[in-house]
Amino acid sequence: MKNMIQESGFFEAVNARRSVRIFDQKEPFDHELVRKCMEAAILSPNSSNLQLYNFIRVPESSPLKEALSKLCMGQKAASTARELVVVVTRRDLWKSRAEANYQYIKTAYEGKSDKKQKQALAYYRKLIPKLYSKYPGWSLIKKLIAFAVGWKRPMVREVGETEVRISVHKSAALASMTFMTGMKAVGYDTCPMEGFDSKRVKKLLDLPKGSEICMIIGCGKGLPEGIYGNRFRIPAQELILEK
Ligand SMILES: Cc1cc2nc3c(=O)[nH]c(=O)nc-3n(C[C@H](O)[C@H](O)[C@H](O)COP(=O)(O)O)c2cc1C
């Protein structure tokens, strides 16, 4: 019974969520609920548990909010948002995040097999540095190694720099999705946006050089006129395939 209630809550939120482009300006907006949804979002799965992203909050009270809305190409989803959330990838933080995992594993594996712990520690001290280090030509070398190893046995091919960047964006996008579903579950609406001037946004928010913007999410209580038409989806049988 308990499971059924939880399940229906999930599907209700997923079904009810729409990208809403005009937010209510009058009702009070609870910014604490945004934080609650972010705390849920950081429980999302993420590659190697490195958690290489930040949610940067720009609430309506921020002196940067108006300028940021303009950089979202003046979209109403940004200008009427009660808070903008900039989801930023932090590939540059890989060393400290790998170290945090390493230190956690050192303490968390007490009582478990030594071999498992050693493997997990080696993952963060040996494999992750190989994947995330940046040297001239290293991306090509990694791809050649993957190609050579993959000649004889299954091998992960996505080891080049572009694939590492994609992987970091995947994790940030998954956290964004959990955040948006959470916002619907607490009664608020969102609009994910990729229509923005990333160069100027990075400058405005003084973001680190190695960071990238995954998306900017407008948040608020949606107005009915903020939903631009009925929901359209390609038939499920074209998206869900079986082999
Ligand atoms: C990565 C991403 C970027 C998007 N960028 C924009 C955007 O810049 N402006 C906008 O109005 N909607 C944007 N959307 C919203 C999509 O248009 C919307 O999700 C899609 O049309 C499906 O509608 P629904 O979200 O209401 O189900 C974006 C969605 C995603 C996932």
Side-chain angles (χ1 to χ4, degrees), residues 30-43 55 57 83 178-179 182-183 185-186 188:
D30 188 349
H31 293 272
E32 263 313 296
L33 286 176
V34 175
R35 181 173 188 88
K36 186 185 161 109
C37 295
M38 284 178 177
E39 285 175 2
I42 62 182
L43 302 180
F55 285 126
R57 303 182 62 180
E83 178 161 345
T178 306
F179 169 71
M183 286 288 280
V186 299
Y188 284 147

Side-chain angles (χ1 to χ4, degrees), residues 17-19 21 75 191-195 231 233:
R17 186 214 57 80
R18 292 295 314 274
S19 293
R21 276 86 180 199
Q75 296 191 62
C191 184
M193 288 174 274
E194 59 191 356
R231 176 176 258 161
R233 288 295 188 266

Side-chain angles (χ1 to χ4, degrees), residues 169-229:
H169 275 273
K170 277 183 208 169
S171 297
L174 286 173
S176 303
M177 188 65 247
T178 306
F179 169 71
M180 291 188 280
T181 309
M183 286 288 280
K184 192 68 237 182
V186 299
Y188 284 147
D189 298 285
T190 52
C191 184
M193 288 174 274
E194 59 191 356
F196 52 80
D197 181 332
S198 59
K199 196 172 171 195
R200 286 193 165 88
V201 173
K202 276 185 82 172
K203 197 166 171 219
L204 179 75
L205 301 180
D206 196 22
L207 298 179
K209 204 165 158 268
S211 66
E212 291 180 16
I213 301 169
C214 176
M215 66 183 85
I216 300 180
I217 304 174
C219 305
K221 182 85 184 165
L223 292 177
E225 60 269 33
I227 297 178
Y228 296 173

